[in-house]
Amino acid sequence: MLEDDITMELFYHPLCRYSQKVLIALYEKQAHFFPNKIDLSDPFSRQKFAKQYPPGQLPLLRKANGELIPESSIIIEYIDHHLHTGSHLLPTHFESLLEVRLLDRQVDIELNNKLYVIENMHANHGLLPIKIKRIENEINMTLERLNQRLIQNHWLCGDHFTLADCALIPCLMDAKTQFQLYQYDGLDRYLHQAEIRGAWMQVKEEAELAKTASCSLDLY
């Protein structure tokens, strides 16, 4: 067990998919940590956070000795290496480890980042139908490749829940409102089993509370 796990501090936002990715891993590992929610849309909160971490990006893990660990995948690799409770998110077998890391990067780059591009375009009313359609087609191709894997695998990289699943689940939960995931047999089955996974249920509950709080503030 990680000696300083109780005093780890996570800077995150419950509605950020990269933060959700790390939260899933922390709950899977049964880790003890201090949650520090950061609202980057609030200028005061952003400025205060930037003083601690100038790049100002979430999520961020602070160890007990003050060392900062950025980037969702690196945070998860750190806690999986040092914390021996709960799920093992990274295989020890080298070839299997490469597969997990590859799928994690593909999900982040080809799915998560492209979802953010579409969401930002809609939020800024920059409706460029041709560009949006092109990105949607790219996402659908990624979903098809993932579906083929999940027809054969229980989880994304086989029988065991891994880092790659931590990356994929938040993306699918948001993508299902815009993409017809039920048309993909493998993804649809995967989505249903992910929805009842304990770690995701904890993340979902916190996200829903954050959405409710945000809606309440909009009333004033």
Side-chain angles (χ1 to χ4, degrees), residues 66-80:
E67 180 183 349
L68 299 175
I69 303 178
E71 302 295 337
S72 59
S73 297
I74 302 302
I75 293 172
I76 293 172
E77 290 209 34
Y78 170 78
I79 62 173
D80 193 63

Side-chain angles (χ1 to χ4, degrees), residues 13 21 30 34 99 101 127-128 162 169 192 215 217:
H13 192 281
K21 173 181 171 179
Q30 302 172 14
F34 179 79
E99 180 186 28
R101 284 178 170 159
L127 300 178
L128 302 174
T162 69
I169 291 172
H192 282 86
C215 291
L217 290 174

Side-chain angles (χ1 to χ4, degrees), residues 58-163:
L58 298 174
L60 179 73
L61 187 74
R62 180 158 62 193
K63 297 164 56 178
N65 63 5
E67 180 183 349
L68 299 175
I69 303 178
E71 302 295 337
S72 59
S73 297
I74 302 302
I75 293 172
I76 293 172
E77 290 209 34
Y78 170 78
I79 62 173
D80 193 63
H81 177 75
H82 288 283
L83 204 64
H84 304 298
T85 55
S87 303
H88 297 291
L89 302 174
L90 289 152
T92 55
H93 182 265
F94 181 69
E95 297 296 334
S96 299
L97 177 60
L98 286 183
E99 180 186 28
V100 169
R101 284 178 170 159
L102 173 61
L103 267 294
D104 169 65
R105 299 314 303 135
Q106 289 178 335
V107 169
D108 280 356
I109 295 169
E110 299 176 18
L111 185 56
N112 202 356
N113 290 353
K114 290 181 180 180
L115 286 172
Y116 276 124
V117 171
I118 292 178
E119 291 161 358
N120 289 334
M121 290 179 70
H122 283 299
N124 296 322
H125 304 288
L127 300 178
L128 302 174
I130 295 177
K131 184 174 182 179
I132 290 178
K133 187 63 177 177
R134 175 177 61 78
I135 297 173
E136 287 177 344
N137 287 339
E138 291 172 355
I139 290 174
N140 275 313
M141 286 190 290
T142 298
L143 291 173
E144 178 59 39
R145 291 199 302 271
L146 294 171
N147 182 65
Q148 291 304 314
R149 291 188 61 86
L150 290 167
I151 288 174
Q152 303 175 24
N153 296 337
H154 185 67
W155 294 106
L156 192 53
C157 293
D159 293 333
H160 300 288
F161 191 94
T162 69
L163 162 67

Side-chain angles (χ1 to χ4, degrees), residues 186-198:
L187 281 173
D188 187 56
R189 186 269 309 161
Y190 178 90
L191 193 61
H192 282 86
Q193 74 183 30
E195 285 176 332
I196 59 173
R197 185 84 177 182

